[in-house]
Amino acid sequence: MTRFKFDATKSDNRALRVGIVCSRFNEFIVEALLAGAQRGLEKCAIDPNNVDVFWVPGAFEIPLAARTMATSGRYEVLVALGAVIRGDTAHFEYVAGPCSDGIARVQQDTGLPIGFAVLTTENVEQAIERSGPDAGNKGEEAAIGAIETWHVLQAIRAPR
Ligand code: INI
């Protein structure tokens, strides 16, 4: 039995180019998720010169930007950051569902790993809890997870 299991923080990630898409709606939360994603990329020793960050208006626009980034050939790994908060809108389902479904579709259609940290919370307190400076920042988890997935996909494809 051959087991393939990767710790992204101990892997060679020097050549990886990372694209991050952020939504401006609930911007202070998304800035905190971005700070977490940057910490995660640092832990993985990603070269900051290989990281681009694009801001779109809201979570609804994330899948389109992610697809454009994925098909550009510029990135090996993407990370999607946003915050959809139920209290803010009667349209929660119309924004959150298409956003997560759209990102999943882009990931499957293009084969690029996309770290998913688009928060969908009942209130702002829950969003703050998930975007703090310590453990549990979903941006950090998504960034590290996407890099781990990239290594898994490489191992699956590698000749043996
Ligand atoms: N976008 C978000 O990212 N989060 C939200 O909570 C949100 N709310 O509450 O409406 C939201 N709406 C905007 C939407 O994503 C689009 O940007 C907008 O509809 C324009 O297409």
Side-chain angles (χ1 to χ4, degrees):
M1 183 174 62
T2 312
R3 290 163 56 109
F4 297 92
K5 198 173 182 182
F6 297 93
D7 179 342
T9 65
K10 297 194 172 77
S11 304
D12 180 2
N13 300 317
R14 278 171 300 184
L16 291 189
R17 297 164 301 170
V18 179
I20 303 179
V21 53
C22 294
S23 51
R24 283 193 291 100
F25 211 99
N26 297 312
E27 190 167 348
F28 78 104
I29 298 287
V30 183
E31 283 285 3
L33 290 170
L34 178 58
Q38 283 168 327
R39 284 196 297 279
L41 297 179
E42 241 168 68
K43 287 183 185 177
C44 294
I46 296 283
D47 181 347
N49 294 316
N50 288 344
V51 181
D52 292 332
V53 182
F54 297 95
W55 288 84
V56 293
F60 194 74
E61 284 74 33
I62 288 178
L64 177 59
R67 185 177 290 274
T68 307
M69 291 161 80
T71 54
S72 71
R74 290 178 187 265
Y75 308 103
E76 280 73 42
V77 169
L78 300 182
V79 183
L81 306 175
V84 190
I85 300 176
R86 189 181 289 275
D88 284 1
T89 178
H91 297 301
F92 179 91
E93 277 82 13
Y94 294 104
V95 173
C99 176
S100 58
D101 290 350
I103 290 170
R105 203 169 316 125
V106 172
Q107 177 170 245
Q108 287 163 12
D109 289 353
T110 64
L112 235 71
I114 307 181
F116 179 72
V118 179
L119 303 181
T120 50
T121 62
E122 292 299 317
N123 51 52
V124 77
E125 289 74 25
Q126 288 177 351
I128 289 169
E129 266 170 37
R130 289 159 178 73
S131 57
D134 305 317
N137 182 303
K138 299 300 169 192
E140 177 172 342
E141 291 174 11
I144 294 174
I147 292 167
E148 178 183 334
T149 305
W150 184 84
H151 284 284
V152 175
L153 300 182
Q154 289 294 106
I156 293 168
R157 294 186 186 115
R160 29 180 180 276

PDB file of all heavy atoms in Angstrom, residues 4 76 107-108 110-113 149-160:
ATOM      1  N   PHE A   4      -0.291   8.525   0.154  1.00  0.00           N
ATOM      2  CA  PHE A   4       0.101   9.876  -0.252  1.00  0.00           C
ATOM      3  C   PHE A   4      -0.598  10.870   0.661  1.00  0.00           C
ATOM      4  O   PHE A   4      -1.831  10.977   0.651  1.00  0.00           O
ATOM      5  CB  PHE A   4      -0.305  10.133  -1.706  1.00  0.00           C
ATOM      6  CG  PHE A   4       0.380   9.232  -2.687  1.00  0.00           C
ATOM      7  CD1 PHE A   4      -0.211   8.038  -3.074  1.00  0.00           C
ATOM      8  CD2 PHE A   4       1.625   9.564  -3.199  1.00  0.00           C
ATOM      9  CE1 PHE A   4       0.418   7.200  -3.975  1.00  0.00           C
ATOM     10  CE2 PHE A   4       2.262   8.730  -4.099  1.00  0.00           C
ATOM     11  CZ  PHE A   4       1.663   7.536  -4.485  1.00  0.00           C
ATOM     12  N   GLU A  76      -1.333  28.154 -10.308  1.00  0.00           N
ATOM     13  CA  GLU A  76      -1.493  26.727  -9.987  1.00  0.00           C
ATOM     14  C   GLU A  76      -2.575  26.525  -8.932  1.00  0.00           C
ATOM     15  O   GLU A  76      -3.189  25.457  -8.852  1.00  0.00           O
ATOM     16  CB  GLU A  76      -0.176  26.152  -9.425  1.00  0.00           C
ATOM     17  CG  GLU A  76       0.860  25.793 -10.467  1.00  0.00           C
ATOM     18  CD  GLU A  76       1.501  27.021 -11.090  1.00  0.00           C
ATOM     19  OE1 GLU A  76       1.799  27.972 -10.354  1.00  0.00           O
ATOM     20  OE2 GLU A  76       1.681  27.021 -12.332  1.00  0.00           O
ATOM     21  N   GLN A 107     -13.728  24.729  -9.990  1.00  0.00           N
ATOM     22  CA  GLN A 107     -12.668  23.809  -9.548  1.00  0.00           C
ATOM     23  C   GLN A 107     -12.731  22.506 -10.350  1.00  0.00           C
ATOM     24  O   GLN A 107     -11.720  22.015 -10.851  1.00  0.00           O
ATOM     25  CB  GLN A 107     -12.816  23.537  -8.049  1.00  0.00           C
ATOM     26  CG  GLN A 107     -11.801  22.547  -7.501  1.00  0.00           C
ATOM     27  CD  GLN A 107     -11.804  22.474  -5.996  1.00  0.00           C
ATOM     28  OE1 GLN A 107     -10.823  22.838  -5.367  1.00  0.00           O
ATOM     29  NE2 GLN A 107     -12.878  22.007  -5.410  1.00  0.00           N
ATOM     30  N   GLN A 108     -13.931  21.958 -10.490  1.00  0.00           N
ATOM     31  CA  GLN A 108     -14.069  20.677 -11.187  1.00  0.00           C
ATOM     32  C   GLN A 108     -13.835  20.825 -12.686  1.00  0.00           C
ATOM     33  O   GLN A 108     -13.227  19.970 -13.317  1.00  0.00           O
ATOM     34  CB  GLN A 108     -15.439  20.075 -10.904  1.00  0.00           C
ATOM     35  CG  GLN A 108     -15.512  19.537  -9.481  1.00  0.00           C
ATOM     36  CD  GLN A 108     -16.927  19.304  -9.000  1.00  0.00           C
ATOM     37  OE1 GLN A 108     -17.869  19.334  -9.790  1.00  0.00           O
ATOM     38  NE2 GLN A 108     -17.076  19.071  -7.720  1.00  0.00           N
ATOM     39  N   THR A 110     -11.950  23.028 -14.262  1.00  0.00           N
ATOM     40  CA  THR A 110     -10.597  23.439 -14.659  1.00  0.00           C
ATOM     41  C   THR A 110      -9.505  22.575 -14.047  1.00  0.00           C
ATOM     42  O   THR A 110      -8.369  22.603 -14.498  1.00  0.00           O
ATOM     43  CB  THR A 110     -10.318  24.903 -14.241  1.00  0.00           C
ATOM     44  OG1 THR A 110     -10.348  24.999 -12.806  1.00  0.00           O
ATOM     45  CG2 THR A 110     -11.348  25.851 -14.836  1.00  0.00           C
ATOM     46  N   GLY A 111      -9.824  21.838 -12.989  1.00  0.00           N
ATOM     47  CA  GLY A 111      -8.823  21.000 -12.328  1.00  0.00           C
ATOM     48  C   GLY A 111      -7.880  21.774 -11.429  1.00  0.00           C
ATOM     49  O   GLY A 111      -6.915  21.207 -10.902  1.00  0.00           O
ATOM     50  N   LEU A 112      -8.144  23.059 -11.243  1.00  0.00           N
ATOM     51  CA  LEU A 112      -7.299  23.845 -10.343  1.00  0.00           C
ATOM     52  C   LEU A 112      -7.871  23.805  -8.926  1.00  0.00           C
ATOM     53  O   LEU A 112      -9.069  24.047  -8.751  1.00  0.00           O
ATOM     54  CB  LEU A 112      -7.287  25.303 -10.810  1.00  0.00           C
ATOM     55  CG  LEU A 112      -5.927  25.924 -11.061  1.00  0.00           C
ATOM     56  CD1 LEU A 112      -5.335  25.314 -12.318  1.00  0.00           C
ATOM     57  CD2 LEU A 112      -6.065  27.432 -11.241  1.00  0.00           C
ATOM     58  N   PRO A 113      -7.047  23.534  -7.935  1.00  0.00           N
ATOM     59  CA  PRO A 113      -7.576  23.582  -6.566  1.00  0.00           C
ATOM     60  C   PRO A 113      -7.952  25.011  -6.170  1.00  0.00           C
ATOM     61  O   PRO A 113      -7.204  25.951  -6.431  1.00  0.00           O
ATOM     62  CB  PRO A 113      -6.414  23.092  -5.691  1.00  0.00           C
ATOM     63  CG  PRO A 113      -5.265  22.857  -6.570  1.00  0.00           C
ATOM     64  CD  PRO A 113      -5.624  23.205  -7.977  1.00  0.00           C
ATOM     65  N   THR A 149      -3.915  20.309  -1.568  1.00  0.00           N
ATOM     66  CA  THR A 149      -4.640  19.636  -2.653  1.00  0.00           C
ATOM     67  C   THR A 149      -3.820  19.628  -3.939  1.00  0.00           C
ATOM     68  O   THR A 149      -3.801  18.637  -4.676  1.00  0.00           O
ATOM     69  CB  THR A 149      -6.004  20.324  -2.879  1.00  0.00           C
ATOM     70  OG1 THR A 149      -6.706  20.329  -1.640  1.00  0.00           O
ATOM     71  CG2 THR A 149      -6.835  19.597  -3.924  1.00  0.00           C
ATOM     72  N   TRP A 150      -3.099  20.730  -4.205  1.00  0.00           N
ATOM     73  CA  TRP A 150      -2.253  20.777  -5.406  1.00  0.00           C
ATOM     74  C   TRP A 150      -1.227  19.644  -5.358  1.00  0.00           C
ATOM     75  O   TRP A 150      -1.011  18.948  -6.364  1.00  0.00           O
ATOM     76  CB  TRP A 150      -1.544  22.138  -5.514  1.00  0.00           C
ATOM     77  CG  TRP A 150      -0.750  22.256  -6.774  1.00  0.00           C
ATOM     78  CD1 TRP A 150      -1.209  22.620  -8.010  1.00  0.00           C
ATOM     79  CD2 TRP A 150       0.646  21.977  -6.924  1.00  0.00           C
ATOM     80  NE1 TRP A 150      -0.190  22.586  -8.919  1.00  0.00           N
ATOM     81  CE2 TRP A 150       0.955  22.203  -8.293  1.00  0.00           C
ATOM     82  CE3 TRP A 150       1.655  21.563  -6.059  1.00  0.00           C
ATOM     83  CZ2 TRP A 150       2.241  22.019  -8.801  1.00  0.00           C
ATOM     84  CZ3 TRP A 150       2.937  21.387  -6.560  1.00  0.00           C
ATOM     85  CH2 TRP A 150       3.227  21.607  -7.921  1.00  0.00           C
ATOM     86  N   HIS A 151      -0.623  19.408  -4.199  1.00  0.00           N
ATOM     87  CA  HIS A 151       0.367  18.330  -4.087  1.00  0.00           C
ATOM     88  C   HIS A 151      -0.284  16.960  -4.280  1.00  0.00           C
ATOM     89  O   HIS A 151       0.301  16.068  -4.904  1.00  0.00           O
ATOM     90  CB  HIS A 151       1.087  18.410  -2.737  1.00  0.00           C
ATOM     91  CG  HIS A 151       2.096  19.521  -2.706  1.00  0.00           C
ATOM     92  ND1 HIS A 151       3.327  19.443  -3.322  1.00  0.00           N
ATOM     93  CD2 HIS A 151       2.042  20.758  -2.150  1.00  0.00           C
ATOM     94  CE1 HIS A 151       3.992  20.576  -3.154  1.00  0.00           C
ATOM     95  NE2 HIS A 151       3.231  21.400  -2.439  1.00  0.00           N
ATOM     96  N   VAL A 152      -1.487  16.793  -3.757  1.00  0.00           N
ATOM     97  CA  VAL A 152      -2.199  15.515  -3.940  1.00  0.00           C
ATOM     98  C   VAL A 152      -2.441  15.264  -5.430  1.00  0.00           C
ATOM     99  O   VAL A 152      -2.176  14.166  -5.946  1.00  0.00           O
ATOM    100  CB  VAL A 152      -3.549  15.518  -3.181  1.00  0.00           C
ATOM    101  CG1 VAL A 152      -4.329  14.246  -3.481  1.00  0.00           C
ATOM    102  CG2 VAL A 152      -3.328  15.666  -1.681  1.00  0.00           C
ATOM    103  N   LEU A 153      -2.901  16.291  -6.139  1.00  0.00           N
ATOM    104  CA  LEU A 153      -3.199  16.128  -7.567  1.00  0.00           C
ATOM    105  C   LEU A 153      -1.930  15.813  -8.355  1.00  0.00           C
ATOM    106  O   LEU A 153      -1.948  14.982  -9.271  1.00  0.00           O
ATOM    107  CB  LEU A 153      -3.878  17.392  -8.127  1.00  0.00           C
ATOM    108  CG  LEU A 153      -5.212  17.781  -7.474  1.00  0.00           C
ATOM    109  CD1 LEU A 153      -5.797  19.005  -8.158  1.00  0.00           C
ATOM    110  CD2 LEU A 153      -6.214  16.634  -7.511  1.00  0.00           C
ATOM    111  N   GLN A 154      -0.821  16.459  -7.982  1.00  0.00           N
ATOM    112  CA  GLN A 154       0.460  16.161  -8.642  1.00  0.00           C
ATOM    113  C   GLN A 154       0.848  14.715  -8.431  1.00  0.00           C
ATOM    114  O   GLN A 154       1.308  14.034  -9.342  1.00  0.00           O
ATOM    115  CB  GLN A 154       1.571  17.063  -8.065  1.00  0.00           C
ATOM    116  CG  GLN A 154       1.464  18.501  -8.460  1.00  0.00           C
ATOM    117  CD  GLN A 154       1.681  18.687  -9.951  1.00  0.00           C
ATOM    118  OE1 GLN A 154       0.722  18.931 -10.683  1.00  0.00           O
ATOM    119  NE2 GLN A 154       2.905  18.561 -10.415  1.00  0.00           N
ATOM    120  N   ALA A 155       0.660  14.223  -7.214  1.00  0.00           N
ATOM    121  CA  ALA A 155       1.035  12.830  -6.890  1.00  0.00           C
ATOM    122  C   ALA A 155       0.146  11.853  -7.642  1.00  0.00           C
ATOM    123  O   ALA A 155       0.614  10.818  -8.127  1.00  0.00           O
ATOM    124  CB  ALA A 155       0.913  12.605  -5.389  1.00  0.00           C
ATOM    125  N   ILE A 156      -1.125  12.166  -7.781  1.00  0.00           N
ATOM    126  CA  ILE A 156      -2.037  11.279  -8.513  1.00  0.00           C
ATOM    127  C   ILE A 156      -1.603  11.175  -9.981  1.00  0.00           C
ATOM    128  O   ILE A 156      -1.640  10.100 -10.582  1.00  0.00           O
ATOM    129  CB  ILE A 156      -3.494  11.807  -8.421  1.00  0.00           C
ATOM    130  CG1 ILE A 156      -4.006  11.697  -6.979  1.00  0.00           C
ATOM    131  CG2 ILE A 156      -4.421  11.036  -9.365  1.00  0.00           C
ATOM    132  CD1 ILE A 156      -5.316  12.445  -6.719  1.00  0.00           C
ATOM    133  N   ARG A 157      -1.156  12.322 -10.528  1.00  0.00           N
ATOM    134  CA  ARG A 157      -0.787  12.341 -11.964  1.00  0.00           C
ATOM    135  C   ARG A 157       0.600  11.789 -12.236  1.00  0.00           C
ATOM    136  O   ARG A 157       0.892  11.421 -13.360  1.00  0.00           O
ATOM    137  CB  ARG A 157      -0.808  13.805 -12.460  1.00  0.00           C
ATOM    138  CG  ARG A 157      -2.177  14.440 -12.469  1.00  0.00           C
ATOM    139  CD  ARG A 157      -2.098  15.821 -13.113  1.00  0.00           C
ATOM    140  NE  ARG A 157      -3.359  16.507 -13.021  1.00  0.00           N
ATOM    141  CZ  ARG A 157      -3.562  17.622 -12.323  1.00  0.00           C
ATOM    142  NH1 ARG A 157      -2.560  18.187 -11.668  1.00  0.00           N
ATOM    143  NH2 ARG A 157      -4.758  18.176 -12.286  1.00  0.00           N
ATOM    144  N   ALA A 158       1.459  11.749 -11.230  1.00  0.00           N
ATOM    145  CA  ALA A 158       2.873  11.413 -11.454  1.00  0.00           C
ATOM    146  C   ALA A 158       3.003   9.973 -11.939  1.00  0.00           C
ATOM    147  O   ALA A 158       2.315   9.073 -11.434  1.00  0.00           O
ATOM    148  CB  ALA A 158       3.659  11.609 -10.167  1.00  0.00           C
ATOM    149  N   PRO A 159       3.882   9.747 -12.921  1.00  0.00           N
ATOM    150  CA  PRO A 159       4.080   8.370 -13.401  1.00  0.00           C
ATOM    151  C   PRO A 159       4.706   7.508 -12.318  1.00  0.00           C
ATOM    152  O   PRO A 159       5.535   7.992 -11.551  1.00  0.00           O
ATOM    153  CB  PRO A 159       5.050   8.547 -14.576  1.00  0.00           C
ATOM    154  CG  PRO A 159       5.598   9.916 -14.478  1.00  0.00           C
ATOM    155  CD  PRO A 159       4.736  10.723 -13.590  1.00  0.00           C
ATOM    156  N   ARG A 160       4.325   6.243 -12.212  1.00  0.00           N
ATOM    157  CA  ARG A 160       4.988   5.299 -11.296  1.00  0.00           C
ATOM    158  C   ARG A 160       4.897   3.889 -11.851  1.00  0.00           C
ATOM    159  O   ARG A 160       4.200   3.622 -12.795  1.00  0.00           O
ATOM    160  CB  ARG A 160       4.438   5.312  -9.872  1.00  0.00           C
ATOM    161  CG  ARG A 160       3.032   5.667  -9.706  1.00  0.00           C
ATOM    162  CD  ARG A 160       2.552   5.650  -8.260  1.00  0.00           C
ATOM    163  NE  ARG A 160       1.158   6.017  -8.255  1.00  0.00           N
ATOM    164  CZ  ARG A 160       0.705   7.257  -8.263  1.00  0.00           C
ATOM    165  NH1 ARG A 160       1.554   8.246  -8.207  1.00  0.00           N
ATOM    166  NH2 ARG A 160      -0.594   7.512  -8.332  1.00  0.00           N
TER     167      ARG A 160
END
